[in-house]
Amino acid sequence: VVAAGLFMRTFSSLANVHLGFDRDRVLLVTVNAQRTEIPPTDRLTTYDRIRQRVAAVPGVAAAAASFVTPVSGGTWNNRIEVPGGVELPERQRLSNFNAITPGWLTTFGTGLVAGRDIRDGDTKSAPPVILVNQAFVKKFLNDASPLGKTVQIGAGSRFAQPPREIVGVVADAVYRALREPIPATMYVPLAQFDDSRSPAPAS
């Protein structure tokens, strides 16, 4: 009886956790282009074409694509550098990240706290940009405004990317699991993502 009571209390607690996104009206579909004959250079175009076709289906309010699905158990992170930010030991300079398309925040119902969202114009030919969540701002900037500051993903490694300007702040949302504290998280435009220079996602 005691065990059953503890289980029900835990279940009730998890069921009422604020996720930071809408879990009731979202349909998830996994697309693995790595198992197809689609060349790596054409995969981003393929993902966008799928997104546009799904968005055109009657009854669909919004559609988006991302490399990491929230609460999927997967984690994608890397060491970063934030010039002018809080001085942290190298082992603590880790932040989770995700690569998303325009409309991803709207699709999941995740709020934009400050700045702007990712746009269709954020392509590889445009200046590199990034969104960060509130937990990121607290950890790396001590809650100071991050807009206009830069982040370098993979700083000091062979996976180092060009610095990205922070253009928006996203509300905190659960990343890997319900039981874990919300981690510092970055959101990169999928159209600017270069998987040839990044490690495989960790899980």
Side-chain angles (χ1 to χ4, degrees), residues 28-34 39-48 50-51 64-77 96-102 104 108 118 124 161 164 175 186-203:
L28 297 175
V29 178
T30 300
V31 179
N32 191 342
Q34 293 181 339
T41 54
D42 295 338
R43 289 174 185 169
L44 295 184
T45 302
T46 301
Y47 296 146
D48 192 59
I50 293 173
R51 177 179 68 92
S66 67
F67 273 13
V68 178
T69 300
V71 201
S72 64
T75 301
W76 206 347
N77 57 36
N96 289 4
F97 69 96
N98 199 354
I100 64 175
T101 62
W104 191 87
F108 274 87
I118 288 171
K124 287 188 177 180
Q161 299 180 18
R164 294 178 175 274
Y175 188 93
M186 308 172 292
Y187 300 88
V188 178
L190 186 62
Q192 291 185 345
F193 182 72
D194 184 358
D195 56 1
S196 68
R197 299 181 62 185
S198 299
S203 59

Side-chain angles (χ1 to χ4, degrees), residues 91-134:
R91 294 182 62 181
Q92 295 183 24
R93 289 192 287 106
L94 282 173
S95 174
N96 289 4
F97 69 96
N98 199 354
I100 64 175
T101 62
W104 191 87
L105 298 181
T106 300
T107 301
F108 274 87
T110 298
L112 184 68
V113 178
R116 69 167 178 88
D117 198 351
I118 288 171
R119 302 170 179 167
D120 289 327
D122 293 323
T123 62
K124 287 188 177 180
S125 61
V129 296
I130 197 168
L131 308 179
V132 299
N133 72 345
Q134 294 166 302

